[in-house]
Amino acid sequence: MTDIHIRKDGHAGRITLNRPKALNALTYDMCLSLEEALWTWRDDPTVKLVLIDAEGEKAFCAGGDIAQMYATGKAGDFAYGQQFWRDEYRMNALIAEYPKPVVSFLQGFTMGGGVGVGCHGSHRVVGDSSRIAMPECGIGLIPDVGGSFLLARAPGRLGEYLGLTADRMGPGDAIHAGFANLYLPEDRWEGVKAALCTDGNVAALTTAALSAPDAPLAAEQGEIDRLFAGEALRDILNALKSDGGTFAEAALGKLTRNAPLSMACTVEILHRLRTGTLNIRKALDLEYRFTSRAMERGDFIEGIRAAIIDKDKSPKWTHDPDGVPTADMAAMLRPVTGEKLSFEKRTHGMKIGFIGLGNMGAPMAENLAKAGHHVTGFDMATVTVNGVSNARSAVDAASDADVVVTMLPNGDILKSVAAQVIPVMRKGAVLLDCSTVDVDSARRVATDAEAAGLLPLDAPVSGGIGGAAAGTLTFMVGGSEEAYRKALPLFEIMGQKSVHCGASGNGQAAKICNNMILGVTMIATCEAFALADKLGLDRQAMFDVVSTSSGYSWSMNAYCPAPGIGPQSPADNGYKPGFAADLMLKDLRLSQQAAEASDADTPLGQAATELYRQFVEDEDGTGRDFSAMLPRFEKRGRS
Ligand code: NAD
């Protein structure tokens, strides 16, 4: 299973964070997957609510996974971190503004990035183990992921207190501060989750919830409001120092650990948010002004070094607590000059490796590139495709790709290409095979890919070369719901329809069953035309009757094998493919191989296979369209 488990369960769209050993720290890929799932379910009438939970007892999510941000930022590349934040914040806003209930179950630690996922939905459930905090000032950031929105709405000056001290809230405090809104003992969570999925409404949860436990911070509210009311960080520090009481001293101790620039900006952000209309987008926008500059001009890199890399806990901050000039603070909160935060659905390109740029693959890859994706292609033959950059090998095309698409001649070639690319692909990436291959090869490749932490899909197509060029293919898809959802935007570019047929191999199963019907009906249509000719029945009359009577089929109505009759088809072009008889023979053989393996009786499929075999191997069928069976029957007599 991958780092995030996304599926539909009854009436619920379910998201389970699944990195318990890393306290479910949120990676960039997890953010993107989460967002994609939310967009898909938003307009899916079968999904009545979204349920977010996490594996393990220790944490719902203890923060964002900042290792890669640190590595890139330290090397002077700030773009990765900025992109991560922009994409994460957009997902946070989507949760906060979601038109359906979003229910989260927040056991153990919920901090930073975890607050962004777990504390913006409509129903935020805490239990006795829950510990919620915004500790960003300790690593040179500010409370982000919409945390400033929650802090600005907390009673009195509690927001300033929690943002500057990073205090951990138990269940009562979390509800008092507005980070959570329902308390339910953890031994009852699984039962309530099951009821939410079955019923698709939140009544089971709201009736089960108990009244909130005591909130120790509520008892301190008076002190907090008095000590944290200052205009700026300096005023708050002065108030704490001059107070001399135990509460003030403890709070001061906590503040002295944190980055002064971050704390000064946190106070300023909360004050700005409380003037005028308060909404999550305004909060995220202010937060991004800071975070987008935090590596280059702030204390973020040093904060991570001291807390996580060297673990010396002795950060050298850029400012003294008493000495953060207003100009420095203002510079961090100026409007962003580079790429801005956007709340629109993600449109930026995926990295796609495309292997097999033949008759079908080339136009499919071109359509993906035209839609703005970064496509790197590879084919054994030298092929140039508009908008697609050439890789030197399948491995080059696949490393670092979000999705690898294969469009290859057969199962053996697919298996050999898969053996090369699976070891180099990024964990969580999608391996999308669109070739027509046998079910067994598809399932084997899927098993190997899953073992390597990839998301495999078999997604053969119908629609032919014309459909590939026009972007109107139909995809029949086998694989997990999560993989299907990730690939859905690509199916929408390359095709007009995709059907999720179930587990791995089921796409190929659907394809060969469809094509067995197609082979049989094409033969039936061709032999009926040949009979009609011999009976002296006019072809147009035959078409007019059959196409509107019970003998109609796609082969007759849409792809009529008689030249000059019905809509344009390869018959009107000297039977130039179209869909070659060789390929029909390949698909029929696959159907018979599968029928053999599963002990299915398919006498007409068997007969069609033999007829296409004769046509291709013993006669003149090679290179001709599969509808050229009509001139073949015409030439022959009964024997
Ligand atoms: P094609 O022969 O035109 O393309 C296959 C490409 O794969 C070729 O360019 C070949 O050089 C390349 N290739 C072979 N081995 C390779 C390797 N090891 N590494 C990299 N590239 C390699 O075939 P096509 O018509 O594009 O069909 C591709 C798949 O789509 C087939 O499985 C076919 O059954 C299926 N299909 C085709 C049609 C159609 O109308 N052509 C319709 C539906 C499905």
Side-chain angles (χ1 to χ4, degrees):
M1 204 181 284
T2 49
D3 291 342
I4 185 163
H5 184 204
I6 296 176
R7 71 277 185 205
K8 283 203 262 182
D9 183 354
H11 294 294
R14 290 199 63 171
I15 298 172
T16 302
L17 310 182
N18 188 33
R19 298 183 75 206
K21 286 190 187 142
L23 300 182
N24 293 314
L26 199 66
T27 64
Y28 184 41
D29 279 347
M30 288 162 79
C31 282
L32 298 182
S33 300
L34 219 153
E35 186 194 5
E36 268 167 29
L38 291 170
W39 279 115
T40 312
W41 293 333
R42 206 176 78 139
D43 302 321
D44 180 343
T46 66
V47 172
K48 306 283 188 220
L49 56 86
V50 174
L51 196 166
I52 310 180
D53 61 2
E55 287 295 334
E57 291 175 0
K58 287 196 184 143
F60 169 74
C61 172
D65 186 343
I66 40 190
Q68 181 72 1
M69 264 191 203
Y70 174 79
T72 49
K74 183 120 178 60
D77 167 11
F78 309 122
Y80 171 84
Q82 289 163 344
Q83 169 111 44
F84 189 146
W85 279 312
R86 280 197 304 275
D87 290 343
E88 183 179 20
Y89 295 178
R90 199 182 49 242
M91 174 270 288
N92 300 143
L94 183 59
I95 293 177
E97 296 169 352
Y98 209 63
K100 300 178 183 183
V102 177
V103 186
S104 52
F105 288 86
L106 309 171
Q107 79 275 20
F109 293 118
T110 298
M111 303 199 290
V115 167
V117 174
C119 299
H120 293 309
S122 55
H123 298 74
R124 296 151 273 145
V125 183
V126 280
D128 295 314
S129 75
S130 301
R131 294 291 175 270
I132 302 184
M134 292 305 289
E136 286 80 1
C137 286
I139 53 165
L141 281 183
I142 41 101
D144 68 337
V145 297
S148 68
F149 172 65
L150 298 167
L151 293 175
R153 291 197 311 180
R157 301 293 174 162
L158 189 55
E160 281 88 337
Y161 174 79
L162 290 168
L164 300 188
T165 60
D167 250 15
R168 290 173 182 175
M169 295 174 272
D173 282 336
I175 291 175
H176 173 66
F179 280 63
N181 56 6
L182 292 162
Y183 168 72
L184 187 67
E186 277 143 80
D187 58 3
R188 297 181 53 194
W189 285 11
E190 286 312 311
V192 166
K193 286 180 198 174
L196 288 170
C197 296
T198 314
D199 305 346
N201 85 52
V202 289
L205 173 61
T206 44
T207 48
L210 305 182
S211 53
D214 280 351
L217 285 174
E220 321 266 28
Q221 190 75 47
E223 293 245 64
I224 290 172
D225 289 351
R226 185 170 56 78
L227 293 165
F228 284 81
E231 264 308 296
L233 175 66
R234 190 182 299 114
D235 306 320
I236 294 173
L237 288 167
N238 286 340
L240 292 172
K241 283 178 196 159
S242 57
D243 184 81
T246 9
F247 180 80
E249 235 169 69
L252 191 58
K254 292 171 192 168
L255 262 61
T256 50
R257 292 198 293 259
N258 295 337
L261 182 64
S262 297
M263 291 193 290
C265 288
T266 299
V267 173
E268 175 67 14
I269 287 173
L270 296 184
H271 291 181
R272 284 195 202 180
L273 285 176
R274 290 200 195 102
T275 57
T277 340
L278 174 55
N279 62 49
I280 186 138
R281 293 189 181 205
K282 189 171 161 190
L284 290 164
D285 180 70
L286 269 176
E287 292 169 7
Y288 184 62
R289 294 181 188 197
F290 183 98
T291 51
S292 65
R293 300 178 168 105
M295 290 197 255
E296 195 172 2
R297 316 174 53 147
D299 292 304
F300 179 60
I301 302 278
E302 173 62 6
I304 299 294
R305 183 206 61 74
I308 291 165
I309 308 296
D310 297 342
K311 295 193 170 70
D312 60 19
K313 302 213 167 27
S314 312
K316 307 213 168 16
W317 302 127
T318 49
H319 296 78
D320 291 330
D322 295 324
V324 181
T326 311
D328 289 7
M329 185 190 69
M332 292 300 283
L333 298 179
R334 261 190 220 122
V336 170
T337 46
E339 192 165 343
K340 300 206 170 17
L341 189 59
S342 153
F343 297 103
E344 298 307 309
K345 197 171 173 178
R346 183 166 75 117
T347 52
H348 76 254
M350 291 189 203
K351 276 191 182 170
I352 299 175
F354 205 114
I355 303 168
L357 300 166
N359 289 322
M360 296 291 289
M364 289 163 75
E366 186 172 343
N367 284 337
L368 291 173
K370 259 195 236 156
H373 294 293
H374 311 292
V375 188
T376 307
F378 174 71
D379 194 290
M380 297 277 275
T382 313
V383 185
T384 313
V385 180
N386 276 341
V388 175
S389 52
N390 278 332
R392 276 171 306 177
S393 65
V395 165
D396 280 355
S399 344
D400 203 31
D402 300 307
V403 178
V404 171
V405 187
T406 47
M407 195 55 175
L408 297 161
N410 59 50
D412 286 340
I413 296 180
L414 169 67
K415 280 186 280 188
S416 100
V417 168
Q420 296 169 51
V421 300
I422 287 173
V424 300
M425 282 177 66
R426 228 167 11 85
K427 217 173 148 213
V430 176
L431 178 57
L432 170 60
D433 177 46
C434 298
S435 334
T436 305
V437 303
D438 57 289
V439 177
D440 187 49
S441 296
R443 290 195 171 139
R444 274 197 219 181
V445 166
T447 305
D448 293 349
E450 262 164 12
L454 305 177
L455 296 169
L457 288 173
D458 50 293
V461 303
S462 95
I465 299 166
T472 56
L473 296 169
T474 295
F475 290 85
M476 305 147 224
V477 192
S480 68
E481 168 79 23
E482 182 185 1
Y484 174 65
R485 241 179 332 78
K486 277 201 164 180
L488 196 54
L490 306 187
F491 295 142
E492 283 168 1
I493 294 164
M494 297 186 286
Q496 60 188 0
K497 188 174 164 105
S498 65
V499 181
H500 188 202
C501 304
S504 292
N506 284 11
Q508 298 294 352
K511 167 81 184 176
I512 57 173
C513 289
N514 179 72
N515 279 21
M516 187 173 80
I517 296 173
L518 178 63
V520 169
T521 56
M522 180 54 82
I523 288 172
T525 307
C526 291
E527 59 184 40
F529 264 117
L531 171 62
D533 287 346
K534 294 202 171 165
L535 296 174
L537 175 61
D538 176 64
R539 283 185 172 179
Q540 186 63 50
M542 160 89 171
F543 176 83
D544 291 344
V545 171
V546 176
S547 65
T548 54
S549 300
S550 46
Y552 82 96
S553 68
W554 186 84
S555 299
M556 172 62 84
N557 292 37
Y559 205 89
C560 184
I565 311 284
Q568 275 282 318
S569 73
D572 303 312
N573 192 18
Y575 295 103
K576 199 166 156 247
F579 183 45
D582 312 57
L583 287 177
M584 176 47 87
L585 175 59
K586 169 190 159 184
D587 292 357
L588 284 167
R589 279 182 166 149
L590 291 176
S591 75
Q592 294 317 293
Q593 198 180 321
E596 188 76 40
S598 58
D599 192 26
D601 188 20
T602 55
L604 290 183
Q606 212 171 342
T609 310
E610 176 52 20
L611 284 169
Y612 273 105
R613 190 204 63 72
Q614 286 172 18
F615 185 46
V616 168
E617 292 180 357
D618 304 341
E619 303 165 17
D620 61 348
T622 300
R624 304 188 77 193
D625 189 72
F626 85 121
S627 59
M629 273 285 172
L630 174 53
R632 175 190 186 275
F633 281 120
E634 274 176 76
K635 279 191 266 164
R636 298 163 66 98
R638 192 145 180 86
S639 56

